[in-house]
Amino acid sequence: LQLLTMGTAVPAGIFMPSIVSGCALGGVFGRAMYDMFQIDNPGSYAMLGAVAMLGGIQRTTISLCVIMMEGTGQTEYILPIIFTTVVANYIGNYFNIGIYELTLRLKNVPFLEHHVHHELNVFNVGQTMTSPVRTFYTLETIANISHTLSSCTHAGFPVVDPRTHKLKGLILREQLQSLLSSDLTNTQTNQSEASDRSAGSHRRYEAILESDLPEMAQNTPTDLIPLMNIAPHMVTADCPLSRAYTMFCFLGLRHLVVVDTNLNVVGMITRKDLLRVEEIITSNKMSFEQKKDAIARLHSDSSDVRSF
């Protein structure tokens, strides 16, 4: 049943089934040890079997020890529980990744490990960033915004000054979609019909085309400064990739703008870029020179097929 319900949208998990199956296997082992060697308290192997099963599947450490100690109240087994947890995690990590991390990868969730690989110190941001970058000016027309969003799948866009082209902020696709939706609502909905206006404000962007907007609205300049993040995180192209990786992990970033010394945008790096690099770095089938060549090929890919 655990295999059938894992990953489905039903109220079923793997925690209790793992405990039950671990206790069963541990109890069988303890009973066999008792029959052969007449050991004392063979039932303790059932608890350690549950610890081993949870540690091998979930790859939890401290929290697992605390849960088992509080759930059983057997403080005299603290050392066996810790030893079993460490061994289960070590053996599991030797063969594959944990079940939760595997689920995140299957669902294409850009999850980064908090462990920074030492090989990342060899590379810099300029070797992995996407360049050139699609940007917006602080004053943009609705037509240009709609055309840009429909022609790419990027989720974040740097906003630059129209005269100096220096970075002014960062705006997300969701914010631009909301801007287009509200503009369409204001031009097509009767202001006196509050309910219709409320329903129109949540219209999805996929159904909004440039032809939906009047020509006057398409060419009207729109100020993006109130919507954008005016202080985005940024690095230079020669920044070590390990530092950028640490910023993504501990600051929860989705995008990191790469600028030169004059604050001109030269590239963009995202979690998906780091995931591609991490897969190459952790591969055991390539030499270090092959890894460098693979990362260089990532940088040479067209920015039109890479999502921010």
Side-chain angles (χ1 to χ4, degrees), residues 14 22 36 53 64 70 83 87 97-98 129 157-158 161 171 182 189 191 204 208 249-250 255 269 301:
I14 63 174
M36 290 186 296
M53 184 67 70
L64 175 59
E70 291 184 350
F83 178 78
V87 173
I97 59 178
M129 69 181 183
F157 302 87
D161 188 273
I171 193 166
S182 62
T189 305
Q191 299 296 328
R204 291 185 58 84
I208 300 176
C249 290
F250 293 99
H255 315 89
I269 188 169
D301 288 344

Side-chain angles (χ1 to χ4, degrees), residues 111-145:
F111 175 77
L112 298 176
E113 298 180 359
H114 280 222
H115 171 67
V116 181
H117 302 279
H118 67 278
E119 291 183 346
L120 293 178
N121 294 317
V122 182
F123 304 96
N124 56 42
V125 172
Q127 295 174 282
T128 57
M129 69 181 183
T130 301
S131 180
V133 182
R134 298 197 179 194
T135 61
F136 285 112
Y137 293 129
T138 52
L139 285 177
E140 279 287 354
T141 62
I142 296 297
N144 186 45
I145 295 175

Side-chain angles (χ1 to χ4, degrees), residues 283-302:
S283 175
N284 295 325
K285 300 180 180 180
M286 293 189 296
S287 63
F288 181 72
E289 293 299 328
Q290 291 175 330
K291 293 178 181 180
K292 291 178 63 177
D293 294 338
I295 293 176
R297 287 194 298 269
L298 284 179
H299 179 59
S300 62
D301 288 344
S302 173

Side-chain angles (χ1 to χ4, degrees), residues 65-215:
C65 295
V66 173
I67 290 173
M68 297 306 297
M69 288 296 301
E70 291 184 350
T72 61
Q74 302 294 327
T75 56
E76 62 271 15
Y77 291 107
I78 180 63
L79 290 180
I81 288 176
I82 293 176
F83 178 78
T84 304
T85 302
V86 172
V87 173
N89 275 265
Y90 180 81
I91 295 177
N93 290 331
Y94 179 80
F95 289 102
N96 52 28
I97 59 178
I99 186 66
Y100 293 133
E101 186 176 349
L102 178 61
T103 304
L104 290 174
R105 292 189 178 183
L106 292 176
K107 294 185 177 181
N108 295 322
V109 177
F111 175 77
L112 298 176
E113 298 180 359
H114 280 222
H115 171 67
V116 181
H117 302 279
H118 67 278
E119 291 183 346
L120 293 178
N121 294 317
V122 182
F123 304 96
N124 56 42
V125 172
Q127 295 174 282
T128 57
M129 69 181 183
T130 301
S131 180
V133 182
R134 298 197 179 194
T135 61
F136 285 112
Y137 293 129
T138 52
L139 285 177
E140 279 287 354
T141 62
I142 296 297
N144 186 45
I145 295 175
S146 177
H147 173 73
T148 302
L149 293 183
S150 61
S151 61
C152 70
T153 59
H154 303 332
F157 302 87
V159 181
V160 299
D161 188 273
R163 294 179 299 174
T164 63
H165 296 279
K166 292 184 178 181
L167 179 66
K168 289 296 183 181
L170 181 71
I171 193 166
L172 301 179
R173 172 179 285 266
E174 292 84 359
Q175 295 170 318
L176 294 172
Q177 291 175 354
S178 177
L179 175 65
L180 294 180
S181 300
S182 62
D183 188 86
L184 178 66
T185 303
N186 293 334
T187 56
Q188 292 187 347
T189 305
N190 190 337
Q191 299 296 328
S192 62
E193 298 177 354
S195 59
D196 293 341
R197 182 170 64 251
S198 176
S201 63
H202 295 285
R203 182 179 178 184
R204 291 185 58 84
Y205 169 74
E206 287 75 10
I208 300 176
L209 302 175
E210 293 182 41
S211 58
D212 293 333
L213 298 172
E215 183 176 356

Side-chain angles (χ1 to χ4, degrees), residues 241 276 292:
L241 191 58
R276 296 186 185 100
K292 291 178 63 177

